[in-house]
């Protein structure tokens, strides 16, 4: 586990300091806002979907290192995936963080977030971006909160 912890720290730090896809795209077809009141994380997710494929995924917002790193890695992972694949990844990521012992290979690097499983407040930080993107995929207009 300590190896995973080291990797976890390193990757989270890298993505929180240099978030990927932290921008508002010039064109996007779906968007949703997310808020985690327990930590104060806020973000807006943007998706450009064409013919059922997520051609672009980006986000704006501010939050703790874990929520930022999670959003950064999520947008990287989702680009080029179909909407169905994106929804399946949400389910797998959510299951991984809320108790499943399995680490599905589809999650790739995202499995490092299993390190937050024992910290319920941090689970909300790590899943905020995913809850928000799910709302965007389903075109739900209301604000997403982790509560
Ligand atoms: Zn947070």
């Amino acid at each position: 586990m300590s190896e995973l912890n080291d990797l976890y720290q390193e990757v989270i730090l890298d993505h929180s300091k240099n978030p990927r896809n932290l921008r508002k795209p010039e064109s996007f077809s779906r968007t949703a806002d997310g808020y985690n009141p327990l930590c104060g994380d806020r973000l807006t997710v943007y998706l450009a979907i064409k013919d059922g494929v997520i051609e672009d995924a980006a986000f704006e917002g501010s939050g703790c290192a874990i929520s930022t790193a999670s959003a950064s890695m999520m947008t990287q992972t989702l680009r080029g995936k179909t909407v169905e694949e994106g929804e399946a990844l949400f389910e797998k990521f959510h299951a991984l963080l809320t108790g499943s012992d399995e680490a599905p290979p589809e999650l790739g690097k995202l499995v490092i977030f299993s390190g937050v499983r024992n910290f319920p407040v941090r689970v909300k930080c790590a899943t905020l971006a995913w809850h928000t993107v799910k709302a965007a995929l389903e075109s739900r207009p209301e604000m997403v909160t982790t509560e």
Side-chain angles (χ1 to χ4, degrees), residues 116-138:
V116 304
R117 201 188 288 166
N118 298 324
F119 308 96
V121 175
R122 290 304 177 197
V123 168
K124 291 182 189 293
C125 297
T127 55
L128 175 66
W130 286 88
H131 281 292
T132 308
V133 91
K134 188 163 197 290
L137 288 171
E138 293 171 354

Side-chain angles (χ1 to χ4, degrees), residues 35 82 94 98 101 122 133 147:
Y35 176 48
T82 65
H94 197 257
T98 53
D101 282 333
R122 290 304 177 197
V133 91
E147 290 307 291

